[in-house]
């Protein structure tokens, strides 16, 4: 099970790079259709991560004391944060 935290951190790093690319594209658009595609991906990513924050709230509000930072982490890193919180709940339960 030691590979799971490594994969979660790797996924978080890749997700952060994707967010930075999409944010950079909003400030300094890339040329051609790449800018349009990144803008569409940015919108889809925001919607999906908002959905994941809602799932996070419904699943973990009774299991863990949640802060604004927890919600922000789930919004930024998505499923990788959900997996990390899931592991945290599983270790405290056992």
């Amino acid at each position: 099970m030691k590979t799971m935290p490594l994969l979660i951190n790797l996924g978080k790093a890749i997700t952060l790079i994707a967010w930075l690319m999409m944010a950079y594209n909003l400030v300094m658009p890339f040329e051609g259709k790449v800018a349009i595609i990144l803008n569409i991906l940015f919108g889809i990513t925001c919607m999906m991560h908002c959905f994941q924050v809602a799932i996070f709230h419904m699943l973990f509000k009774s299991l863990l004391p949640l802060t604004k930072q927890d919600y922000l982490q789930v919004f930024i890193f998505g499923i990788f944060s959900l997996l990390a919180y899931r592991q945290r709940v599983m270790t405290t339960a056992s």
Side-chain angles (χ1 to χ4, degrees):
M1 281 296 278
K2 291 188 181 214
T3 59
M4 191 66 164
L6 177 67
L7 292 175
I8 289 172
N9 288 333
L10 180 64
K12 284 182 177 183
I14 292 169
T15 304
L16 184 61
I17 291 169
W19 273 111
L20 291 174
M21 281 183 53
M22 292 184 287
Y24 181 80
N25 182 58
L26 289 175
V27 177
M28 304 265 310
F30 294 109
E31 293 184 23
K33 295 182 181 183
V34 174
I36 296 169
I37 292 170
L38 283 174
N39 287 335
I40 292 169
L41 286 174
F42 181 72
I44 292 170
T45 302
C46 285
M47 287 188 305
M48 292 302 297
H49 284 226
C50 285
F51 182 65
Q52 288 174 350
V53 168
I55 291 171
F56 174 71
H57 178 72
M58 288 185 285
L59 291 177
F60 292 104
K61 71 179 175 183
S62 61
L63 301 173
L64 294 171
L66 301 176
T67 64
K68 290 179 184 177
Q69 182 182 357
D70 297 324
Y71 290 106
L72 183 63
Q73 275 203 4
V74 172
F75 180 75
I76 293 172
F77 300 115
I79 190 68
F80 300 108
S81 281
L82 288 174
L83 289 171
Y85 283 106
R86 178 181 170 268
Q87 274 192 326
R88 202 163 100 187
V89 167
M90 290 176 65
T91 56
T92 57
S94 58

